[in-house]
Amino acid sequence: MNLVNKEQVKKKMASRLFTNRILQGLLLLATLFGLIVLGVLIYRMTTQGIGYLSLDFFTNFASRFPEQAGIKAAIVGTLWLMAVTIPVSLILGVGTALYLEEYAPKNRFTRIIQVNIANLAGVPSIVFGLLGLTIFVRLAEMGQSVLAGGYTLSLLILPVIVVASQEALRSVPKEMRDASYAMGATKWQTIQRVVLPASIPGILTGSILAFSRAIGETAPLIVIGALTYVAFLPENLYSGFTAMPIQIYNWATRPQIEFQELAAAGIIILLLMLIILNSIAVLIRNKFQKRY
Amino acid sequence: MNMTVKDRPKKKQTETKKTPIVNVENVYKVNQLNLWYGEDHALKDINLDIPEKQVTAIIGPSGCGKSTFIKTLNRMVETVPSVKVSGGIQYRNQNIFQPSYKVEELRTQVGMVFQKPNPFPKSIYENVVYGPKIHGIRDKKTLDKIVEKSLRGAAIWEEVKDRLNENAYGLSGGQQQRLCIARCLAIEPDVILMDEPTSALDPISTLKVEELVQELKKDYSIIIVTHNMQQAARISDKTAFFLTGEVVEFSNTNELFSNPADKRTEDYITGRFG
Ligand SMILES: Nc1ncnc2c1ncn2[C@@H]1O[C@H](COP(=O)(O)OP(=O)(O)O)[C@@H](O)[C@H]1O
Ligand SMILES: [Mg+2]
């Protein structure tokens, strides 16, 4: 008495395998779609912009004449912004995540904060621009400065860093913490010696993605009044500034074909910066993983 | 002392494994201990005296509260937020639940070995010095000595002495568990709590850990949870039989196994349930 009809099983076999093959193909197509579009984009940018990628492009300021225009102020401006944004958002973000995950009592108040942070991650960037304009530029009287820009970008990516860090902290197994507590370690010692080292790869992965987003952000910087035509470098945190995406935006909106090509060259540089940033992330991650 | 649940008159004292009754110090005095996980009453009116430098086994079927009980002894049970406790536990004549009692201090005196080996994802060396380091020992020479002493104490020195800087995750399960024992010895505790330390190990590793426990009881008071009755019979001096959160019987191991006072103990050790 067999409940499983072997005949039927055999008949169904071919169609099951066929479905599997079809889906494999479809999913591959889905993957290829993204890759091909990206490839086309990179190809277009390179062919358009390569002509402008000379040393002059890096050492010249913006100019009315395309052949003299360079991206120096924008590169330096972006580096200044990142020098503010990265430490500020990392310290605040990881700190918040540590408090919420490790110290905060699991009550309603904590849950409300939690939900709000998750929601903030979805707020459009221009809203953060308005926030930065109100708080940093006006209330705190920082003016349209590198500092105000950096803080605004920090606010913008803070929720992402908090959520990613919490995720990373949560993934540290309870047995690890227990082992530490059972030896008489305090909470902070456990965090410092067990929890953080184990979660740093995860924290960095999330954070670097957030930094990449910050580098490419245009809207909030325009709102807080980043300059578009700059012939000087920021001297300190209170200097005016421009940034890569703003310069690119500025060029791309001009009618002349030469400026379009300049924009393409700018995009190449921006992409290179992102690649470098991501490589650094991978390096740090590997270093920490090897120590285990 | 009114602590033992069934203090029967001693009958046969002719067995090989007998415990000297003269002047045994108690490391723990557990008095009317009750514990709840939320509404769930997990430990009921526990009264036990745990002797110094002996092996005390806790046996009983799954879910009877063995783990909960020994995690209460070093207050690790408090990592579960819903836990409520009443009654008292005296460790070396101090109530560990009194507000001024520092749990970190308790845990430097009372080490714990967990059911699943849980070394840190660090080198063997770093695992052993973890405890000493958090207690502020920095001197490299001292740390080196602690490492050798602890690893020897846990009978794993010969196996790992040439690879101290390798990741502990490269060790076998049995070696990892002995490393965890070494890590626990490194803080030179007074008491060692073991929660089914061999349940994740193969028979040979189990034997090694059992031999080790025999060795360790010369210097430490050991409380070991096991649901393996043969193991309890082999390695312990006293045995407590837990059932649904209560201590049914607590007496010398040989007595408990050869001549149980309670019908339920007898049913359990003869394999009629559990
Ligand atoms: N973290 C927890 N939260 C709620 N209930 C728990 C928790 N841990 C254990 N319990 C309950 O307490 C009782 C005793 O569990 P435990 O001490 O783990 O038993 P044993 O170690 O003897 O198998 C069980 O009924 C179990 O469901
Ligand atoms: Mg258990």
Side-chain angles (χ1 to χ4, degrees):
Chain A
M1 264 299 287
N2 285 335
L3 291 176
V4 177
N5 183 343
K6 299 283 178 196
E7 272 307 303
Q8 216 174 348
V9 169
K10 222 177 227 157
K11 253 189 256 158
K12 200 89 178 79
M13 186 67 74
S15 83
R16 288 197 300 137
L17 291 177
F18 181 70
T19 314
N20 186 36
R21 284 302 285 271
I22 293 287
L23 265 142
Q24 183 182 358
L26 284 176
L27 296 177
L28 176 68
L29 274 182
T31 313
L32 284 180
F33 179 78
L35 279 180
I36 288 170
V37 172
L38 186 68
V40 169
L41 180 82
I42 289 179
Y43 175 76
R44 281 268 301 175
M45 288 304 134
T46 320
T47 48
Q48 274 196 328
I50 199 89
Y52 281 92
L53 285 182
S54 63
L55 196 61
D56 285 347
F57 185 65
F58 291 97
T59 54
N60 286 0
F61 288 107
S63 164
R64 275 185 298 133
F65 309 106
E67 60 278 10
Q68 284 174 21
I71 200 161
K72 183 175 178 184
I75 291 183
V76 175
T78 287
L79 291 180
W80 271 91
L81 280 178
M82 284 303 114
V84 175
T85 302
I86 292 178
V88 169
S89 61
L90 253 192
I91 291 169
L92 289 181
V94 177
T96 307
L98 277 175
Y99 177 74
L100 287 176
E101 274 310 303
E102 308 287 332
Y103 285 100
K106 301 274 170 276
N107 58 19
R108 230 176 107 166
F109 180 67
T110 312
R111 268 203 306 282
I112 291 174
I113 294 185
Q114 187 69 60
V115 169
N116 275 308
I117 288 176
N119 285 339
L120 276 180
V123 169
S125 58
I126 197 154
V127 177
F128 282 96
L130 290 170
L131 190 70
L133 181 68
T134 316
I135 295 179
F136 301 127
V137 177
R138 300 214 175 118
L139 263 180
E141 297 183 347
M142 291 174 190
Q144 299 163 343
S145 62
V146 169
L147 198 58
Y151 281 165
T152 305
L153 290 182
S154 303
L155 274 191
L156 173 73
I157 61 175
L158 202 52
V160 180
I161 294 185
V162 172
V163 172
S165 304
Q166 279 187 291
E167 208 61 55
L169 292 173
R170 227 173 285 154
S171 71
V172 178
K174 184 176 183 314
E175 294 90 68
M176 293 293 103
R177 298 163 197 266
D178 283 353
S180 175
Y181 288 133
M183 227 129 24
T186 61
K187 198 163 241 186
W188 174 245
Q189 285 178 317
T190 304
I191 290 172
Q192 188 191 7
R193 287 154 197 264
V194 177
V195 177
L196 269 184
S199 50
I200 271 182
I203 291 178
L204 282 185
T205 314
S207 302
I208 300 268
L209 284 176
F211 300 151
S212 306
R213 180 170 171 210
I215 281 194
E217 272 299 339
T218 325
L221 293 181
I222 292 180
V223 174
I224 67 157
L227 309 168
T228 47
Y229 190 90
V230 183
F232 59 87
L233 298 180
E235 281 173 357
N236 56 41
L237 290 174
Y238 291 95
S239 307
F241 67 97
T242 188
M244 299 282 296
I246 295 191
Q247 185 66 70
I248 292 168
Y249 171 74
N250 179 262
W251 281 332
T253 48
R254 298 199 189 189
Q256 299 95 319
I257 181 77
E258 290 87 352
F259 280 110
Q260 304 287 325
E261 290 173 358
L262 271 173
I267 289 173
I268 295 173
I269 306 296
L270 189 60
L271 286 179
L272 281 179
M273 280 175 126
L274 291 179
I275 290 172
I276 291 172
L277 199 63
N278 280 310
S279 315
I280 293 173
V282 173
L283 282 181
I284 300 176
R285 213 157 68 204
N286 290 347
K287 180 175 154 6
F288 270 96
Q289 268 162 352
K290 256 188 227 132
R291 270 183 43 191
Y292 290 165
Chain B
M1 282 186 294
N2 62 340
M3 305 303 178
T4 45
V5 162
K6 283 276 158 26
D7 251 344
R8 298 175 308 114
K10 309 271 180 278
K11 286 181 185 167
K12 307 178 261 182
Q13 277 292 340
T14 46
E15 317 282 331
T16 40
K17 237 200 290 178
K18 77 180 142 195
T19 4
I21 320 154
V22 277
N23 262 345
V24 187
E25 277 275 328
N26 290 320
V27 280
Y28 274 108
K29 290 182 190 148
V30 180
N31 191 7
Q32 280 302 111
L33 176 71
N34 280 276
L35 184 143
W36 293 263
Y37 289 108
E39 294 297 299
D40 189 3
H41 198 173
L43 296 177
K44 298 165 194 158
D45 295 337
I46 309 273
N47 293 293
L48 284 179
D49 281 357
I50 295 179
E52 186 180 42
K53 300 214 170 134
Q54 293 192 11
V55 177
T56 304
I58 314 280
I59 62 168
S62 282
C64 68
K66 306 183 295 294
S67 298
T68 303
F69 175 67
I70 75 160
K71 280 193 290 183
T72 313
L73 296 178
N74 65 349
R75 287 179 51 186
M76 280 297 285
V77 78
E78 288 167 17
T79 57
V80 180
S82 65
V83 159
K84 283 193 297 285
V85 184
S86 81
I89 297 184
Q90 300 247 317
Y91 165 68
R92 298 280 180 198
N93 299 320
Q94 285 203 304
N95 180 2
I96 65 170
F97 293 125
Q98 76 198 22
S100 63
Y101 200 92
K102 291 192 183 55
V103 70
E104 287 84 4
E105 215 167 284
L106 175 68
R107 291 175 190 158
T108 63
Q109 291 301 314
V110 181
M112 185 166 216
V113 177
F114 294 81
Q115 183 164 1
K116 217 178 108 215
N118 60 350
F120 297 118
K122 301 173 189 270
S123 70
I124 295 170
Y125 185 94
E126 283 300 323
N127 264 280
V128 180
V129 298
Y130 186 85
K133 273 190 171 172
I134 58 176
H135 294 111
I137 297 171
R138 289 273 167 279
D139 180 52
K140 177 87 171 93
K141 283 219 182 69
T142 314
L143 290 174
D144 287 350
K145 278 190 203 136
I146 290 176
V147 168
E148 179 167 351
K149 182 174 168 223
S150 310
L151 289 170
R152 280 190 192 282
I156 190 182
W157 171 252
E158 291 301 330
E159 289 157 73
V160 300
K161 65 179 180 199
D162 299 321
R163 46 195 283 213
L164 293 178
N165 291 316
E166 281 173 34
N167 193 320
Y169 280 16
L171 299 173
S172 75
Q175 288 173 324
Q176 288 188 11
Q177 193 62 304
R178 277 178 289 143
L179 175 64
C180 291
I181 295 175
R183 183 176 63 183
C184 173
L185 297 182
I187 52 173
E188 300 186 344
D190 175 30
V191 180
I192 301 175
L193 309 173
M194 298 180 160
D195 189 357
E196 304 196 25
T198 61
S199 67
L201 305 186
D202 62 87
I204 293 176
S205 304
T206 299
L207 199 68
K208 281 191 182 155
V209 172
E210 286 185 10
E211 283 168 1
L212 183 55
V213 168
Q214 291 302 304
E215 206 45 48
L216 290 174
K217 79 170 197 188
K218 291 176 190 152
D219 300 309
Y220 307 91
S221 314
I222 296 173
I223 303 161
I224 183 168
V225 169
T226 171
H227 66 219
N228 177 339
M229 283 172 287
Q230 286 76 27
Q231 184 171 68
R234 275 196 300 269
I235 66 176
S236 71
D237 302 296
K238 298 198 90 174
T239 298
F241 171 52
F242 275 57
L243 193 62
T244 57
E246 288 175 80
V247 179
V248 172
E249 189 164 349
F250 179 49
S251 57
N252 290 340
T253 299
N254 52 348
E255 280 175 37
L256 187 131
F257 280 100
S258 61
N259 202 354
D262 196 292
K263 179 78 170 58
R264 291 169 293 175
T265 316
E266 189 177 342
D267 287 349
Y268 183 68
I269 61 178
T270 53
R272 238 164 282 171
F273 72 90

PDB file of all heavy atoms in Angstrom, chain B residues 67 115 195-196, ligand 2:
ATOM      1  N   SER B  67      19.008  24.473  35.154  1.00  0.00           N
ATOM      2  CA  SER B  67      19.791  25.611  34.653  1.00  0.00           C
ATOM      3  C   SER B  67      19.407  26.882  35.393  1.00  0.00           C
ATOM      4  O   SER B  67      20.268  27.667  35.792  1.00  0.00           O
ATOM      5  CB  SER B  67      19.547  25.818  33.163  1.00  0.00           C
ATOM      6  OG  SER B  67      19.962  24.689  32.452  1.00  0.00           O
ATOM      7  N   GLN B 115      26.700  25.158  28.828  1.00  0.00           N
ATOM      8  CA  GLN B 115      26.343  23.908  28.176  1.00  0.00           C
ATOM      9  C   GLN B 115      27.045  23.776  26.825  1.00  0.00           C
ATOM     10  O   GLN B 115      27.659  22.760  26.523  1.00  0.00           O
ATOM     11  CB  GLN B 115      24.827  23.890  27.995  1.00  0.00           C
ATOM     12  CG  GLN B 115      24.288  22.628  27.388  1.00  0.00           C
ATOM     13  CD  GLN B 115      22.786  22.523  27.609  1.00  0.00           C
ATOM     14  OE1 GLN B 115      22.171  23.411  28.203  1.00  0.00           O
ATOM     15  NE2 GLN B 115      22.196  21.450  27.138  1.00  0.00           N
ATOM     16  N   ASP B 195      26.955  23.945  33.723  1.00  0.00           N
ATOM     17  CA  ASP B 195      25.615  23.592  33.267  1.00  0.00           C
ATOM     18  C   ASP B 195      25.714  22.586  32.129  1.00  0.00           C
ATOM     19  O   ASP B 195      25.989  22.957  30.996  1.00  0.00           O
ATOM     20  CB  ASP B 195      24.866  24.850  32.815  1.00  0.00           C
ATOM     21  CG  ASP B 195      23.399  24.566  32.540  1.00  0.00           C
ATOM     22  OD1 ASP B 195      22.995  23.390  32.648  1.00  0.00           O
ATOM     23  OD2 ASP B 195      22.671  25.523  32.227  1.00  0.00           O
ATOM     24  N   GLU B 196      25.500  21.336  32.429  1.00  0.00           N
ATOM     25  CA  GLU B 196      25.622  20.256  31.446  1.00  0.00           C
ATOM     26  C   GLU B 196      26.851  20.439  30.559  1.00  0.00           C
ATOM     27  O   GLU B 196      26.733  20.520  29.338  1.00  0.00           O
ATOM     28  CB  GLU B 196      24.359  20.176  30.585  1.00  0.00           C
ATOM     29  CG  GLU B 196      23.105  20.008  31.434  1.00  0.00           C
ATOM     30  CD  GLU B 196      21.912  19.536  30.627  1.00  0.00           C
ATOM     31  OE1 GLU B 196      22.113  18.893  29.578  1.00  0.00           O
ATOM     32  OE2 GLU B 196      20.768  19.776  31.061  1.00  0.00           O
TER      33      GLU B 196
HETATM   34 MG    MG C   2      19.251  23.272  31.221  1.00  0.00          MG
END
